Amino acid sequence: MLFPILALFAMMFVSCTPEAEKDIAVTGVSLDKNEGAVTVDRTLTLEATVTPADATNQKVTWSSSDTTVATVVEGVVTGVKAGTATITVETEDGGFSDECTIEVLAETINVTDISVDPTEATLDEGTTLQLTSTVLPRDATNPAVAWTSDNEDVATVDADGLVNAIAAGTATITVTTEDGGLTADCILTVEIPIVPVTGVVLDKPEAMIAPIETLTLKATVQPENATNQKISWSSDNEEVATVDGNGLITPVADGTANITVTTEDGGKEAICALTVNLIGTTSFRTDKTWEVGTQIWSDAVMATGAKKEDYNGGSMGTYYPDCRKNEGFGDAFSWKAVEQFKDILCPDGWSVPTADDFHRLDMALNNRADYTTRNGDMDALSNYLSDEKWGGMLAGRAHNGVINNTAYAYYWAQDSRTATYANAFVLQDTGRIDPNNSSEMTFGFQVRCVKNE
């Protein structure tokens, strides 16, 4: 009885329970984006939507085409290294899928500073200089730079910072960062190349002058295109000769001195060995001599070099530094010069005449008994005035700067009469002879040498 009742009860229960629910199948899946970007070590979340929304099985799986570039976990994408990876989502029910292309970017590190080395430079024309730039931080994402010159007539610069010096002047070389436009400058000076001095030479390594003369030395710096041509002059004996900044030598007294030129660049030197002669050179013409009795007389002495002050100071005293100015008649000397240099005015065996020598000449010329000449007999007193016979005997006195060769012939004796007067021999075109003339020592007369046999 009990069993039938239970069976009936079960039948009644089953007939009262709702019909079992049916599964809803997945028909697709989609992502919220199909492209995206993420930097290294950063994340990006993708959202997947399963359709229909009430599908029974909502489960999906995620995958990356290249886990070395990007990984994905539950839709969270993480950048691993720069590159591209495809992220795929797939439904468990039905295997529906969708994809998103992810670009992984390197981390961006901005430029914060730039410097250039060197910051200043000096170059010779035609040379180059490599500039170096430093971008900070050193791992900046974009370290690219550009180089420019603000004066390409002076210097140019290429894309690698190599500077080429074009011409003398100044230019600013600037380097600029591509990221942020930061700049740094090098101030550049371009100069004409310096050519060092290697030596200096003088046109006269030796020279001889008289105190009345001057001499200008010419110095040549080597090489000729040396940058610094400056020189200085000096004398090691200024009591003998001085020299100015232009190489002009002024003699002071007889003796020797070394005149030195020195270059400012390198201190190179050249020396002129200078000799100063008070009389200088004397031309004694042995082919122009005359025998008068026991005497032999010379032509007028051709000499240069007596001091200028030895000639000047009197009413007629005028010096002649070069015998050519006297038209071959010889130089006029003051008695002071004759007295000082009498030992060298005449050659060995000859001397400057004394007053007694002139008296003997006077007697011989007037008496003519023993008078002969190597150029022929003189048969009349007036013949002594002949230039061919006496070599310009009348060209003996300096007056107002001109040798008087028409009226008088004055010749010094080496004897003095007083402190200011000395003996002289005078010939006049009238035939008058004065062997006992007294003249001021400052007058300019000639000298004839005599040899007594």
Side-chain angles (χ1 to χ4, degrees):
M1 189 68 182
L2 179 59
F3 179 76
I5 294 173
L6 290 173
L8 179 61
F9 180 78
M11 291 175 64
M12 292 176 62
F13 178 79
V14 172
S15 62
C16 292
T17 301
E19 190 175 331
E21 295 181 358
K22 295 181 180 180
D23 290 335
I24 300 174
V26 172
T27 59
V29 65
S30 62
L31 292 172
D32 59 338
K33 57 175 65 71
N34 296 111
E35 292 180 352
V38 65
T39 57
V40 174
D41 294 331
R42 300 295 179 90
T43 61
L44 172 68
T45 300
L46 298 178
E47 294 183 0
T49 301
V50 177
T51 56
D54 58 350
T56 302
N57 187 353
Q58 296 282 327
K59 291 181 179 180
V60 295
T61 57
W62 297 85
S63 63
S64 169
S65 64
D66 189 348
T67 57
T68 64
V69 174
T71 61
V72 60
V73 177
E74 298 297 331
V76 178
V77 179
T78 301
V80 177
K81 71 174 183 179
T84 302
T86 300
I87 304 300
T88 303
V89 63
E90 186 177 358
T91 63
E92 185 178 273
D93 179 12
F96 296 100
S97 65
D98 197 6
E99 296 176 348
C100 177
T101 300
I102 296 296
E103 182 181 4
V104 178
L105 305 174
E107 182 181 4
T108 300
I109 301 175
N110 293 325
V111 173
T112 60
D113 192 22
I114 187 172
S115 60
V116 65
D117 182 42
T119 57
E120 294 183 1
T122 299
L123 296 180
D124 289 338
E125 287 181 0
T127 61
T128 60
L129 173 66
Q130 180 63 59
L131 299 180
T132 303
S133 65
T134 301
V135 174
L136 295 177
R138 296 187 182 276
D139 59 348
T141 301
N142 183 5
V145 297
W147 297 88
T148 57
S149 168
D150 73 343
N151 191 347
E152 293 193 344
D153 290 334
V154 171
T156 60
V157 60
D158 68 11
D160 298 317
L162 181 65
V163 176
N164 184 22
I166 305 298
T170 58
T172 299
I173 307 300
T174 301
V175 59
T176 305
T177 64
E178 189 175 284
D179 177 14
L182 304 179
T183 63
D185 294 331
C186 172
I187 307 302
L188 184 70
T189 301
V190 177
E191 297 179 342
I192 298 174
I194 295 176
V195 179
V197 171
T198 59
V200 62
V201 294
L202 288 171
D203 60 335
K204 293 182 175 62
E206 296 181 356
M208 179 181 293
I209 59 174
I212 61 170
E213 298 177 290
T214 59
L215 173 66
T216 299
L217 295 177
K218 180 182 178 182
T220 302
V221 175
Q222 297 176 327
E224 292 184 357
N225 64 336
T227 302
N228 186 350
Q229 296 280 330
K230 292 181 180 179
I231 55 176
S232 59
W233 298 86
S234 63
S235 169
D236 70 348
N237 190 350
E238 293 192 343
E239 293 182 355
V240 170
T242 61
V243 60
D244 68 10
N246 297 314
L248 175 64
I249 298 172
T250 301
V252 178
D254 63 331
T256 60
N258 286 327
I259 306 301
T260 301
V261 60
T262 305
T263 64
E264 184 175 86
D265 177 15
K268 307 298 182 181
E269 293 183 347
I271 296 174
C272 172
L274 179 71
T275 300
V276 178
N277 279 346
L278 288 174
I279 289 299
T281 60
T282 298
S283 174
F284 184 81
R285 299 176 59 181
T286 57
D287 63 326
K288 287 282 189 178
T289 57
W290 294 266
E291 295 181 14
V292 182
T294 60
Q295 295 176 316
I296 300 177
W297 287 84
S298 76
D299 192 1
V301 175
M302 304 291 190
T304 61
K307 292 181 180 180
K308 182 175 180 178
E309 56 265 28
D310 291 340
Y311 295 107
N312 292 336
S315 61
M316 292 185 293
T318 303
Y319 80 99
Y320 288 81
D322 189 331
C323 63
R324 289 172 298 176
K325 291 185 178 179
N326 301 351
E327 299 178 354
F329 295 124
D331 285 346
F333 298 89
S334 71
W335 185 87
K336 179 180 177 182
V338 173
E339 193 279 333
Q340 184 175 359
F341 311 124
K342 62 186 178 183
D343 293 335
I344 58 176
L345 278 173
C346 297
D348 292 342
W350 297 73
S351 63
V352 175
T354 63
D356 183 61
D357 290 326
F358 283 131
H359 279 288
R360 293 172 63 190
L361 175 63
D362 176 36
M363 292 175 63
L365 289 174
N366 279 285
N367 295 327
R368 289 174 289 133
D370 301 319
Y371 179 72
T372 60
T373 174
R374 293 183 183 181
N375 289 331
D377 293 334
M378 299 183 73
D379 55 6
L381 180 61
S382 61
N383 283 347
Y384 75 77
L385 302 177
S386 169
D387 180 57
E388 293 183 0
K389 303 242 182 216
W390 274 94
M393 188 83 166
L394 293 181
R397 184 176 77 168
H399 178 65
N400 295 329
V402 178
I403 290 291
N404 185 333
N405 60 355
T406 59
Y408 302 94
Y410 281 73
Y411 299 96
W412 281 122
Q414 60 175 282
D415 313 287
S416 63
R417 287 192 175 184
T418 66
T420 58
Y421 283 81
N423 287 317
F425 179 63
V426 182
L427 300 178
Q428 298 182 13
D429 56 1
T430 61
R432 178 175 177 270
I433 299 172
D434 183 359
N436 196 30
N437 182 269
S438 177
S439 297
E440 291 184 27
M441 294 179 178
T442 55
F443 287 3
F445 297 163
Q446 284 186 339
V447 173
R448 283 183 184 251
C449 298
V450 65
K451 179 189 288 187
N452 289 287
E453 296 181 339

